[in-house]
Amino acid sequence: MLLSLPALHLQTSEHHPLFQLPHGRLGPWCSPTGSPAPLSCETGCGEGSWILVCRLLVPTQVNLLSMEEDIDTRKINNSFLRDHSYATEADIISTVEFNHTGELLATGDKGGRVVIFQREQESKNQVHRRGEYNVYSTFQSHEPEFDYLKSLEIEEKINKIRWLPQQNAAYFLLSTNDKTVKLWKVSERDKRPEGYNLKDEEGRLRDPATITTLRVPVLRPMDLMVEATPRRVFANAHTYHINSISVNSDYETYMSADDLRINLWNFEITNQSFNIVDIKPANMEELTEVITAAEFHPHHCNTFVYSSSKGTIRLCDMRASALCDRHTKFFEEPEDPSNRSFFSEIISSISDVKFSHSGRYIMTRDYLTVKVWDLNMENRPIETYQVHDYLRSKLCSLYENDCIFDKFECVWNGSDSVIMTGSYNNFFRMFDRNTKRDVTLEASRENSKPRAILKPRKVCVGGKRRKDEISVDSLDFSKKILHTAWHPSENIIAVAATNNLYIFQDKVN
């Protein structure tokens, strides 16, 4: 039986996001999956090795640049550090992504804006500034819309950002809200043309009768200006809300996934896409699972993977058939009856799936654990890491306040040897796959002095609490690290906490 607790689900249906049909976001409808005994991980990995480089606040809807146009961006960030009362719901960061070189870091927020930070260049006088990032460009990517046919409001919130590899002086990135994907070009301009024949210096058209000589326009230096222009708009292809976008390794196509379908797009074609996965049943009452995340293989352009709310992962090969409803490989963990509970279905829902940089492994994040799967072994994960197992006793209250439906992301480091994911109380966790050691760190405003060394945090489950420990009952569930990013080649990480963006780096980096 796919649904073994129908009566319980009916009793609590008003809390379950799946019952927001027909137009709402499909939530995690989970089937029971077991959780194996975790790997024994010693605490203290990397103790004292991570330092805070800088804390940036995403510029708020109040345009502080208009107050004083020549103000330095670093002063803006410092003003945010002193006064964070400007923050609103629209300023909450909803996605974080490094570009392929790590020189740029993009964030999207609930207000539909994309803010790009650029890495500070190292100089002889300021050696320690190499890891700092400052505001490079800010632009409004999406606006709120209203679907009159369905009487549905479409939020401007940026769900995902994905960079394209840089081919020339300009940068390109994809950003998406619930319905529309946009391709943006970000370019620099430090020269402007002057000496037009038909226009004067102020841009007004000249009287042709007054033109007696032919002038050759020339380029004059000007202050550096960063421009963001939309090059493509991919719309009207998703009935449900987009949760993932992924750029293919051929750099000609990308895919977008919503709760029931995955579409394949060509970057040059905006008016049509190809549906490669469709799990929508003929009768929506028979719906038992939804798609939660999808990603292309980093090297093989024909292979992609998607996860479901039932805790399963499907690997598909586009060479096998045009419609990839039949998977090539199916990854599922056998159920452990001893861990069965009312919440088993919900906490087994996968919120994020990521290929390793090598393409050999898949990492998945559910509510309580991070799992690493080998592509050659489908029956169980090769590694399981407990993120916050101390919350098992709190699942009932987490269900009541809807925190149990939070979607945490996970990331690899550049060498696939360390994985990172977020937790509550602004904690984030790192797991070393080689030494099997882990560490809990905190992104805290109170400890936001530049170059400050992060101290590992420990959570006390019960009994006598030590001085440096925090009780599980004292955790703040309104503070959560959902979105993180790791520099592609260095030990530099970005952690988003509400409208704060924390940049940390390895002390020896």
Side-chain angles (χ1 to χ4, degrees), residues 324-344:
C324 301
D325 285 348
R326 293 187 178 181
H327 50 267
T328 303
K329 290 189 176 184
F330 183 76
F331 301 86
E332 185 177 20
E333 192 174 8
E335 178 186 356
D336 185 356
S338 62
N339 290 334
R340 171 86 178 179
S341 70
F342 167 70
F343 303 104
S344 297

Side-chain angles (χ1 to χ4, degrees), residues 9 12-20 27-30 346 399 405:
H9 277 292
T12 58
S13 60
E14 73 258 32
H15 295 289
H16 211 294
L18 188 61
F19 288 88
Q20 296 176 3
W29 184 280
C30 319
I346 301 176
Y399 180 82
F405 300 110

Side-chain angles (χ1 to χ4, degrees), residues 163-179:
W163 290 91
L164 277 67
Q166 188 176 5
Q167 304 293 336
N168 49 39
Y171 303 96
F172 289 87
L173 61 86
L174 288 172
S175 64
T176 182
N177 66 347
D178 288 338
K179 298 292 183 181

Side-chain angles (χ1 to χ4, degrees), residues 379-399:
N379 58 345
R380 66 179 183 274
I382 59 172
E383 301 166 20
T384 300
Y385 302 98
Q386 298 292 340
V387 179
H388 39 216
D389 196 51
Y390 46 78
L391 295 182
R392 281 191 187 275
S393 60
K394 303 288 184 182
L395 292 179
C396 186
S397 59
L398 291 168
Y399 180 82

Side-chain angles (χ1 to χ4, degrees), residues 336-395:
D336 185 356
S338 62
N339 290 334
R340 171 86 178 179
S341 70
F342 167 70
F343 303 104
S344 297
E345 298 181 1
I346 301 176
I347 64 176
S348 64
S349 175
I350 295 175
S351 58
D352 195 17
V353 59
K354 294 281 178 61
F355 272 106
S356 63
H357 295 86
S358 65
R360 172 68 185 274
Y361 304 101
I362 301 173
M363 175 172 55
T364 61
R365 170 69 202 267
D366 56 41
Y367 190 68
L368 294 178
T369 64
V370 173
K371 298 170 183 175
V372 178
W373 303 75
D374 191 319
L375 288 184
N376 297 326
M377 189 169 72
E378 305 174 46
N379 58 345
R380 66 179 183 274
I382 59 172
E383 301 166 20
T384 300
Y385 302 98
Q386 298 292 340
V387 179
H388 39 216
D389 196 51
Y390 46 78
L391 295 182
R392 281 191 187 275
S393 60
K394 303 288 184 182
L395 292 179

Side-chain angles (χ1 to χ4, degrees), residues 483-499:
H483 313 289
T484 58
W486 202 305
H487 191 285
S489 58
E490 300 181 29
N491 280 339
I492 298 177
I493 58 176
V495 177
T498 59
N499 68 319

